[in-house]
Amino acid sequence: MPVINWLSQTRSSKIYSPWAGAPIVASADFDLEDALSESVARSADAFWNLSCPFGGSPSISPNPSAQTTPCPSRAPSPLPAHTLPSSSSPMQPVPPFTPPAEERPCNATQGTKNRHKRRSKESRQKRRQQASASAGHNFYRRRPAVREKYFDKYAQKGIKVDLDIMQATASSSGFTGIRRAFSKKVYTLDELVKRTNFRICEWDGRTPTPIVDRKGRIIAHLAGHPDAHDWPQVHEEAARLLEESRGLLGLPKVAKKHRRGNFFAIPFGVSHGGGRTKPTVRRQTPEATSVLTELNASNPFMRIAHFGSSTFATWAPRLYDYYVDRLGATFQDDADLERIFVGSVFPSATYNFGPTTACFLHTDAANLPFGWCCITALGRFDSKRGGHIILWDLGLIIQFPPGSTIFIPSAVVAHANVTIGTGETRYSFTQYAAGGLFRWAEHRFKNNGAFFASLTEEEAKQEAEKEKKRWSTGVELFSNVAEKLDNDGEAALAESLPFVKRLQEYTVNHFIRRTSRSLDWQGVNLQRFFGG
């Protein structure tokens, strides 16, 4: 048998040497046609064995008229039997297999629809996340479908309390709460039931449930969690990250004890007040900074943060716009300030590392008194027996399942947690804003001394009147169950325009991070101030 040698050349012009080995020659009794026939028969047998759920296989006969033996518990198939060629007949192609109609699941069409629906929802979520990343904190707006699905449906089904939130006390300036003294004690559910007449509220951790005061204001909100099929895995992953990170903080045991409880807690983000002369980024140890960087970049906590801001915008749109306007101006004024999460309106947050996080009764007096603190519970515990959130001033003990989120005015409403059982774990993630950040924006990016020194006598009187009314004005930013939120937030936007106009008058020729798309309150491009 002659051997043919040739040179092989690739597209990159490389040339390979010819084959120099001896050729492989088949034995004299080898018949290619018989080998192909046997291979086809084996393939058909293997296919039928795989297609039969009980491991049986129908007989395959060379006789076209022979009946095919069905798999057990399956009706005889209308499929014609395959005809296998013999070695003396020419090769015939095996017809493609089509599953019988009886074998197809009865819900195949519905399954396809559900799959398409899920993929469509995931695509919309991905587009919104991409838009959020490009738009920053000022992304969330009330969409009609979201308003109808949540606010219009659940606003009238909230928990009513016999209290007017206006009766709560704030500082004289209206920018912070008043610190109150409480005992450093954690409570069991049995203790609270015996010692108080508080109302125990059952909550599944999913259904949106507003807390409404005597005047119909939504002063707090049980938000639940995102409508995502993978949410159980997401919040369990968040708890796992906190558990694994606790040992990497490098903090002494004494840091575990503080006025809010006996557990490691790391606050981070941008804050102002407590002796600071201007808004600054909280500093931590190198070990804690490394842990925070990884947690903030993780998918679970980014999703929790985005859910918090989007829910905030849906249930308290006027208050949300207040955050956007004041905090947005503060961040634009100082290039050194960085937001924690893209798409989140909250400038500060705290990781509570547990492993049995249960807060003492306290208020967060440094926060904005009419602002909302966003709290997310994490871990593995029986929420019907422990882990409840206690809203002391409202007389409520609310079940707080892991993976769910609750909003409360933490600066004026005292709150705590019920202890959990032995062997259980509980962590939490909170997002909030210091009242000093809002004061900094309204005081033209100056501290109190410099701001009041720059005012005329008449302006100082006007500012004093504003401070007297700030608390009552802020309370009216809460939504009311009696109102009908507009579809696209036009009413809320109209209410915020006077402040935006005044703020932009203060900051003309001041911002250094203006973009080509920045507009003033009239919709005119602000680049004109810079000669752009």
Side-chain angles (χ1 to χ4, degrees):
M1 182 176 179
V3 178
I4 302 175
N5 293 330
W6 64 87
L7 299 180
S8 299
Q9 183 173 356
T10 65
R11 292 183 180 179
S12 61
S13 301
K14 290 184 178 180
I15 299 177
Y16 293 87
S17 59
W19 172 253
I24 301 173
V25 181
S27 62
D29 59 348
F30 174 75
D31 188 286
L32 178 61
E33 186 174 345
D34 289 342
L36 288 175
S37 298
E38 293 176 4
S39 177
V40 169
R42 286 196 301 270
S43 298
D45 286 338
F47 177 82
W48 280 108
N49 286 334
L50 289 175
S51 66
C52 180
F54 298 100
S57 61
S59 62
I60 302 178
S61 170
N63 185 359
S65 63
Q67 288 288 336
T68 301
T69 304
C71 292
S73 75
R74 187 174 63 193
S77 172
L79 178 70
H82 297 305
T83 302
L84 297 183
S86 64
S87 58
S88 59
S89 61
M91 283 290 297
Q92 299 292 332
V94 178
F97 174 75
T98 303
E102 290 82 353
E103 290 188 351
R104 297 180 182 178
C106 59
N107 61 345
T109 303
Q110 185 64 33
T112 301
K113 288 182 179 180
N114 292 340
R115 183 169 62 254
H116 290 171
K117 185 177 181 180
R118 183 176 68 252
R119 289 178 178 175
S120 178
K121 181 178 180 180
E122 292 173 350
S123 297
R124 290 195 302 271
Q125 290 176 342
K126 185 176 181 180
R127 289 195 297 269
R128 285 197 292 268
Q129 290 174 358
Q130 291 174 346
S132 175
S134 62
H137 66 282
N138 193 14
F139 168 68
Y140 298 105
R141 292 293 172 188
R142 278 73 58 204
R143 293 177 292 141
V146 174
R147 174 184 60 81
E148 294 172 3
K149 183 177 180 181
Y150 297 106
F151 189 90
D152 293 351
K153 182 177 180 180
Y154 296 103
Q156 301 294 337
K157 302 177 182 179
I159 300 171
K160 296 179 174 59
V161 293
D162 188 19
L163 172 142
D164 184 353
I165 194 63
M166 194 74 78
Q167 297 173 353
T169 55
S171 63
S172 58
S173 67
F175 283 118
T176 58
I178 296 177
R179 179 164 293 187
R180 298 149 61 185
F182 302 98
S183 62
K184 294 184 177 181
K185 174 179 173 55
V186 292
Y187 298 91
T188 66
L189 186 59
D190 292 338
E191 284 180 314
L192 291 171
V193 171
K194 293 178 182 178
R195 297 178 55 182
T196 71
N197 60 349
F198 290 171
R199 190 184 351 164
I200 298 179
C201 303
E202 295 182 354
W203 183 50
D204 59 8
R206 180 179 65 253
T207 305
T209 307
I211 298 178
V212 184
D213 76 350
R214 190 185 302 153
K215 299 293 185 180
R217 305 184 191 93
I218 299 177
I219 59 175
H221 180 53
L222 315 183
H225 59 71
D227 293 333
H229 68 278
D230 64 339
W231 190 249
Q233 293 78 21
V234 172
H235 76 76
E236 288 174 3
E237 173 68 9
R240 186 188 64 80
L241 290 173
L242 291 179
E243 174 63 29
E244 293 179 351
S245 301
R246 187 175 62 253
L248 305 177
L249 295 174
L251 298 177
K253 290 185 178 181
V254 67
K256 191 175 182 180
K257 297 183 178 182
H258 46 85
R259 74 178 188 89
R260 289 183 176 87
N262 294 325
F263 51 86
F264 287 117
I266 304 294
F268 59 98
V270 175
S271 188
H272 185 39
R276 298 179 181 87
T277 59
K278 57 178 292 188
T280 56
V281 178
R282 292 177 181 268
R283 303 299 178 188
Q284 299 292 346
T285 63
E287 295 85 354
T289 300
S290 176
V291 170
L292 292 175
T293 300
E294 292 187 9
L295 291 176
N296 294 346
S298 66
N299 179 64
F301 286 105
M302 286 194 291
R303 290 180 64 176
I304 292 173
H306 292 166
F307 174 72
S309 288
S310 63
T311 305
F312 191 179
T314 300
W315 284 88
R318 289 188 294 271
L319 183 58
Y320 175 84
D321 286 340
Y322 181 85
Y323 274 55
V324 168
D325 294 336
R326 272 62 167 185
L327 298 178
T330 298
F331 276 88
Q332 282 200 358
D333 173 67
D334 191 341
D336 293 332
L337 304 181
E338 296 181 357
R339 289 191 175 272
I340 309 169
F341 302 100
V342 173
S344 174
V345 74
F346 293 102
S348 301
T350 296
Y351 290 115
N352 295 316
F353 290 88
T356 55
T357 300
C359 290
F360 300 145
L361 189 62
H362 71 284
T363 58
D364 302 305
N367 292 349
L368 187 70
F370 50 88
W372 269 357
C373 176
C374 178
I375 309 170
T376 302
L378 300 166
R380 290 180 175 272
F381 59 93
D382 186 349
S383 60
K384 294 184 179 180
R385 296 178 176 272
H388 301 59
I389 186 170
I390 311 165
L391 302 182
W392 201 274
D393 298 312
L394 307 184
L396 300 177
I397 304 172
I398 305 171
Q399 291 180 2
F400 199 173
S404 58
T405 294
I406 291 178
F407 292 86
I408 64 171
S410 63
V412 296
V413 174
H415 54 285
N417 294 116
V418 173
T419 59
I420 59 176
T422 304
E424 295 181 330
T425 59
R426 186 181 185 275
Y427 317 89
S428 64
F429 174 58
T430 61
Q431 303 173 79
Y432 49 90
L437 295 174
F438 300 88
R439 180 179 63 236
W440 181 260
E442 294 210 23
H443 286 181
R444 307 176 191 177
F445 316 112
K446 301 175 182 178
N447 57 35
N448 276 356
F451 172 69
F452 285 104
S454 67
L455 300 179
T456 64
E457 184 177 351
E458 182 62 27
E459 289 174 336
K461 291 181 179 179
Q462 294 176 359
E463 187 63 30
E465 287 298 317
K466 285 171 53 181
E467 289 192 346
K468 292 180 181 179
K469 299 179 180 179
R470 183 166 287 115
W471 164 243
S472 59
T473 303
V475 166
E476 295 308 320
L477 295 178
F478 290 129
S479 298
N480 197 296
V481 294
E483 69 183 333
K484 189 79 170 178
L485 292 184
D486 55 296
N487 286 352
D488 53 5
E490 291 182 0
L493 185 61
E495 292 180 7
S496 66
L497 281 180
F499 167 78
V500 176
K501 177 181 178 182
R502 175 168 58 86
L503 184 62
Q504 290 182 342
E505 288 174 353
Y506 294 157
T507 55
V508 168
N509 296 324
H510 181 74
F511 289 158
I512 61 174
R513 296 173 65 189
R514 189 74 68 193
T515 69
S516 60
R517 294 180 297 176
S518 299
L519 305 178
D520 68 3
W521 67 280
Q522 294 176 315
V524 179
N525 194 298
L526 286 171
Q527 284 291 94
R528 71 184 193 279
F529 293 123
F530 301 93

